[in-house]
Every structure is written in C-alpha cells, then in structure tokens.
Amino acid sequence: MKKIKGIVLLGVLLVYFSGHSQDTLSISKSDLFQKVADKNLQIKIAEKSYQSAKADYNQTNTLFLPNINVSYTGISTTNPLMAFGSKLNQEILTPADFNPAVLNDPAVTQNFATKFEIQQPLINVDGIYGRQAAKTKMEAYQLQTERTKEYLVLEVTKAYMQLQLTYKAVKVLEKAQTTANANLKMVENYFKQGLLQKTDVLNVKVRVGEINNQLQYAKSNVQNTSDYLAFLLNEDSKGKTYKPAEELENAIEIEAINTQLSENRKDIQAMNKSSEAYEKMMQMSKMNFLPRLNAFGSYELYDSTFLGTAAKGYLVGAQLSWNVFDGYKSIGKYDKAKADFQKAEVETEQYIKQSQMELNKTNRQLKDAENKVNLSQLAFEQSQEAFRIRQNRFAQGLEKTTDLLLSETQVIQKELEYSQSVFEYNFTKHYLQFLTK
C-alpha cells in the first residue's frame, strides 16, 4: 500500500513540475517583426480607428446617392377626414359620399397603402465640404496607423536588444560566479594552511552571496523582458521564456545619419491632415448658411383589401430650402469650428517644434553614447588587466583578499557597463533613424 501511495505521489509531482516548467524559445529579430505586424494589439487598435474613419467617409455617399424607402400601411377608421381621404385615394368616391350625414359620421373604412419614396440630394454645398473633411480624417488615421507600425518596429527592436542585454548580464554573472567560487575554494585552502584569517574567508563568502543575488536578479530581468516581448506579440507568456537567436552586439558601428526633420514623416503628415480636416469642417459650417436643393418623389398603391393595388398614383417634386435664422445655432457652430481649426494649427506647429527639439536632443545623445562606449571599453580593458595582476599577486601572497574582491567587482561592473553603453548607443541610433524616417 505504501509503495502504491509513493508511486501516485511521484506521478502527481511529475505532472505538477511538467505543467510549471519554463519553455525557452529561440526567436530572431526578423520573426519578431513579422509577428508584431500580424498580432500586436496597438496596431489592431490603430487599424480599427482607420476603419471607423473610413466608415464615416462612406456615410457621406448619401450626398450623391438617393434615399429609398418602401412602406406598407393598413388602417381602419371612422375619422371623417381619414375615411374620406382613404376613399379618395382608393378612387371609389360616389356622389352619395358627399352626403353631409355620411361625411360627418362615416362607416368603418379600411385602407391599405403601399408606398415607394425616393429622395435625391441635388445641391448641398455644406455636405460637399463635410465629405472632404471625412476623407481627410480617414487619410490622417491611415498615416497614423502606418506611424504606429513604425513605432512598434522600434519598440520591438528595443525589447529584443534588452533581452539580449539581460542574457549578456546573466552570462557575465555566471562567469563571475565561477570565478568567485574558485576564489572561495582557494581562500579556504589558504585558511586551512593558516595563511589567511577567518575574516578573509567570510569576506569571500559574502562576495559569492552577492554575485548569486545579482545572478538571480538578472534571471528575473530575463523573464520580465521576455514577458514584455510576449505582450508586444500578443502571445501568452505563461511557461514561456524567449531567448534571442543573435547575441548582443559587442561593438558599435559609426555611420552618418540625416538629422533634419522630414515633413514627410507619417505622424507629421497625419497632424497636417488633421488640421486640414478641421479647416474643411469650418468651411462646412460656413456653407451651412447657403440654401439646399433636393428632389423627391413617391409612387403609391391603395386598396380597401389586404395587398390590393386597385388605385395608383405618383408624386414628384423639388424643394429649395434656406434656413434663414436658427437662433444663432449655425453661427455658434461656425465659431466653434473656426476655433477648433485654429487650435489644430497651433497643435501641429507645437508638435513639429517639439519633434525638432527631440531630434536635436537625440542627436546629442548619440554623440554622448559614442563617447560613453569608448570610455567604458577602455575602463573594462583596464579592469581586466588590473584583476589579472592582483590575482597573480594574491596567489603569491602579495595582495589582500579585500583588494582582490574589489578588483573582481570592478571587472564585472565595467563589463556590464560596457554592454549597457553599447546597448544605449545602438538603440539611440535606431531611435534617431525613427525620428528622421
């Protein structure tokens, strides 16, 4: 019985750990770009906004296309006016129906009417400007969608580079862990031989513990970055860890980048289109003071029986309407549309100046990042050489344990700082290209 219970418990544990194991998936940058274009939620939201604006534009087709209605109505009435009109429409009036007694107190009269109505806009100047505004708004959303895709490419690039950086940090700290354990073993041997004190051993153990903590923190950063990458790809991150197929670049490549702000940048074009749409709305409000011309017509079938079509008739006509005064409603709409247009113009000007400022700032940051890479590379090389010398002198009993630990710490720190500086330079370069795209 105990053996059976043990087998069952073992099976449960195997199922539990298999269900909670982490799958490490290798992924390349090219795969990311394709997935983010197909799955990213922010892109889908932008595309739906464009589709909504396109639907608004399609609604303006009513400016040129007719409005057609079909209705079927059945009534039963003793109302004098309705009864007389129903018989008249049914073309069944007789001289007896003009008897005042019959007119004033008619019998129950039934009427079934089939009606086809058509309304055709002819001249609506304000509607033309409204259609132009809707089209411009649609184009602005389309440009904004394209800019969102460009931004997501940048964001995915950054997340992928951060993932590379976190794996680099893990690799550096694992190497440092190996070195620290070797130093601990060496110090413990020296302590057993009476060459070192107990405090030296404790100092090295503390250092080993610090590196273990840093390594665990770095591994947590790997999972955090992997989760964010899964979020960008709209994938479930549970039980999954991404691993970059390419390692973090260990050097930088200097290249000339155009630092002039382009007016063809998608977001700037979208802002200009938005201002243009507000201008069209203002013109539409202004044209609201002009008259409108519309045509209309109807074809009607009447009978006293259900689905009957005994009597027929049609009506055609045109209407010229002019809203001369509506209590300042139209004037208020025009003033509001004018203020919105002026506000959009100022916002566009502000956005362009802010974009130029960001471009200038990023350009300076790229130069600063280049200098930081050069300095951190030199510092890393110097720390490596210093650690090698101190390690050799320590083995000969010429260096203190604390000096060795300090030198080892500096090597790890400078290597991580160098990797961080390379990351910052390469991302700043990508960001600068995004700003000038």
Side-chain angles (χ1 to χ4, degrees):
M1 179 64 69
K2 290 183 178 180
K3 185 176 181 181
I4 294 176
K5 289 182 178 179
I7 294 175
V8 172
L9 178 60
L10 179 61
V12 171
L13 291 174
L14 288 174
V15 172
Y16 175 82
F17 285 112
S18 63
H20 290 75
S21 61
Q22 289 289 110
D23 292 332
T24 301
L25 306 178
S26 178
I27 191 166
S28 65
K29 190 182 293 186
S30 58
D31 293 336
L32 286 178
F33 292 154
Q34 182 60 44
K35 286 186 176 182
V36 76
D38 296 336
K39 297 183 178 181
N40 182 262
L41 295 177
Q42 191 170 348
I43 291 179
K44 290 182 179 181
I45 292 172
E47 289 175 344
K48 294 304 177 184
S49 297
Y50 165 71
Q51 292 174 8
S52 176
K54 185 178 180 180
D56 287 339
Y57 173 68
N58 289 337
Q59 290 182 44
T60 63
N61 288 333
T62 186
L63 185 65
F64 308 107
L65 301 179
N67 181 25
I68 302 174
N69 290 318
V70 179
S71 64
Y72 187 80
T73 307
I75 65 171
S76 179
T77 182
T78 58
N79 180 279
L81 182 62
M82 294 296 296
F84 184 82
S86 296
K87 289 185 176 181
L88 184 63
N89 285 330
Q90 295 171 17
E91 302 176 0
I92 57 174
L93 279 177
T94 63
D97 292 316
F98 289 92
N99 185 339
V102 176
L103 288 174
N104 292 327
D105 189 17
V108 176
T109 303
Q110 292 182 333
N111 183 51
F112 296 91
T114 304
K115 191 173 184 179
F116 301 89
E117 293 180 289
I118 183 170
Q119 296 173 332
Q120 176 64 55
L122 297 179
I123 301 177
N124 293 277
V125 181
D126 58 334
I128 294 175
Y129 282 101
R131 178 178 173 84
Q132 292 175 355
K135 182 179 181 180
T136 306
K137 177 185 174 183
M138 178 187 68
E139 292 171 348
Y141 273 106
Q142 184 177 22
L143 290 167
Q144 195 62 48
T145 300
E146 293 175 5
R147 186 60 175 177
T148 300
K149 292 179 180 179
E150 293 176 354
Y151 167 75
L152 262 300
V153 169
L154 174 69
E155 191 66 15
V156 166
T157 301
K158 179 182 178 181
Y160 189 76
M161 291 170 60
Q162 286 176 330
L163 189 65
Q164 291 175 318
L165 183 63
T166 56
Y167 271 97
K168 176 68 174 179
V170 169
K171 185 177 180 181
V172 169
L173 290 169
E174 286 177 343
K175 183 175 67 174
Q177 186 184 50
T178 302
T179 303
N181 289 330
N183 288 337
L184 177 60
K185 185 176 181 181
M186 180 177 61
V187 168
E188 287 176 338
N189 290 334
Y190 285 167
F191 173 71
K192 291 177 182 178
Q193 298 172 18
L195 300 176
L196 294 176
Q197 297 180 357
K198 182 67 174 180
T199 54
D200 294 320
V201 178
L202 294 176
N203 286 335
V204 176
K205 285 185 177 181
V206 169
R207 178 58 187 157
V208 170
E210 290 176 350
I211 292 177
N212 290 337
N213 288 337
Q214 291 177 359
L215 180 58
Q216 182 57 44
Y217 181 75
K219 290 180 178 179
S220 296
N221 279 340
V222 168
Q223 189 60 52
N224 292 338
T225 308
S226 181
D227 288 348
Y228 180 62
L229 204 54
F231 166 73
L232 292 177
L233 301 178
N234 192 25
E235 294 185 351
D236 186 10
S237 61
K238 186 176 181 181
K240 182 188 301 182
T241 302
Y242 289 112
K243 183 177 182 180
E246 305 94 358
E247 291 189 358
L248 181 70
E249 296 179 14
N250 200 35
I252 62 174
E253 183 178 346
I254 309 297
E255 60 181 78
I257 300 177
N258 177 28
T259 57
Q260 294 296 321
L261 185 66
S262 173
E263 293 185 357
N264 294 325
R265 217 172 74 176
K266 299 294 190 305
D267 53 340
I268 294 178
Q269 285 184 314
M271 291 292 292
N272 289 327
K273 285 289 184 180
S274 179
S275 296
E276 184 180 343
Y278 277 109
E279 183 181 14
K280 298 296 184 183
M281 292 294 290
M282 181 188 69
Q283 293 173 339
M284 182 186 74
S285 298
K286 189 176 182 179
M287 296 303 160
N288 192 43
F289 295 102
L290 297 179
R292 299 179 179 88
L293 180 62
N294 299 293
F296 59 89
S298 65
Y299 184 72
E300 303 164 4
L301 303 171
Y302 295 98
D303 206 300
S304 59
T305 59
F306 181 65
L307 297 180
T309 59
K312 303 176 181 63
Y314 71 87
L315 172 70
V316 293
Q319 181 185 47
L320 179 66
S321 61
W322 191 357
N323 192 350
V324 179
F325 182 73
D326 57 4
Y328 282 97
K329 181 179 178 180
S330 297
I331 296 175
K333 283 186 175 181
Y334 172 74
D335 290 340
K336 183 179 183 300
K338 183 178 180 181
D340 289 341
F341 167 58
Q342 293 172 343
K343 177 185 175 183
E345 280 192 317
V346 174
E347 287 177 341
T348 301
E349 181 182 1
Q350 181 192 40
Y351 188 80
I352 292 174
K353 290 183 177 179
Q354 188 175 5
S355 298
Q356 183 63 60
M357 180 182 67
E358 181 70 14
L359 180 58
N360 295 338
K361 174 185 173 183
T362 306
N363 191 36
R364 289 189 292 269
Q365 286 178 337
L366 184 65
K367 187 62 179 178
D368 293 339
E370 180 184 347
N371 294 333
K372 185 177 180 180
V373 169
N374 295 331
L375 292 174
S376 59
Q377 182 180 15
L378 181 61
F380 173 50
E381 293 172 353
Q382 290 175 343
S383 65
Q384 283 181 309
E385 181 62 18
F387 177 66
R388 185 188 66 80
I389 295 174
R390 287 186 183 277
Q391 199 172 32
N392 291 336
R393 288 174 60 83
F394 179 79
Q396 299 171 12
L398 301 176
E399 288 287 349
K400 296 179 182 179
T401 306
T402 54
D403 294 334
L404 178 65
L405 294 176
L406 178 62
S407 181
E408 178 195 9
T409 302
Q410 286 181 339
V411 171
I412 299 172
Q413 180 182 353
K414 297 305 176 184
E415 184 172 4
L416 292 177
E417 286 179 358
Y418 175 66
S419 298
Q420 178 69 29
S421 64
V422 171
F423 162 80
E424 290 176 0
Y425 177 85
N426 288 330
F427 172 70
T428 304
K429 184 169 68 173
H430 283 294
Y431 185 49
L432 189 61
Q433 292 170 343
F434 170 74
L435 293 177
T436 56
K437 193 170 184 179

